Amino acid sequence: MGYRCRRNFRNSDCIFGSSHHQPVVLKVIRQLGDEWRCGEVLETFNGNGMVRVYHFTEGAVLLERLNPGDSLTKRVLKGQDEEATHIIAQVMQQM
């Protein structure tokens, strides 16, 4: 896996890189808690409305890296509440 950068969060570290020419994120959870089994939880959705899981074990998960679009919060602040709600509904329907 090629390593590009790292971000530290309160309970986890995310390492951004590539694997087999695909952008990925390795998420390592630092302590037992709500996120400890996130790989198992995310895998149940099989990429439907969620990020795809490539590999996981308790406390760590290798995920596809997504390029986010526009923030829904920004849309709401611009008065585009209905559009933001429609996008959320579409994602929920995929799940």
Side-chain angles (χ1 to χ4, degrees), residues 21-81:
H21 306 290
Q22 296 294 320
V24 295
V25 177
L26 175 62
K27 181 175 183 174
V28 180
I29 293 83
R30 286 190 236 126
Q31 54 187 299
L32 191 62
D34 293 342
E35 293 183 276
W36 191 252
R37 296 176 66 188
C38 66
E40 183 179 349
V41 172
L42 289 170
E43 188 180 56
T44 62
F45 290 96
N46 197 28
N48 295 314
M50 301 238 162
V51 65
R52 292 193 195 298
V53 174
Y54 294 129
H55 300 286
F56 72 90
T57 188
E58 289 185 1
V61 60
L62 183 64
L63 305 164
E64 75 175 319
R65 183 172 180 187
L66 302 177
N67 276 331
D70 296 329
S71 163
L72 293 180
T73 304
K74 287 181 184 176
R75 289 179 189 238
V76 170
L77 292 173
K78 290 179 184 177
Q80 300 171 341
D81 296 42

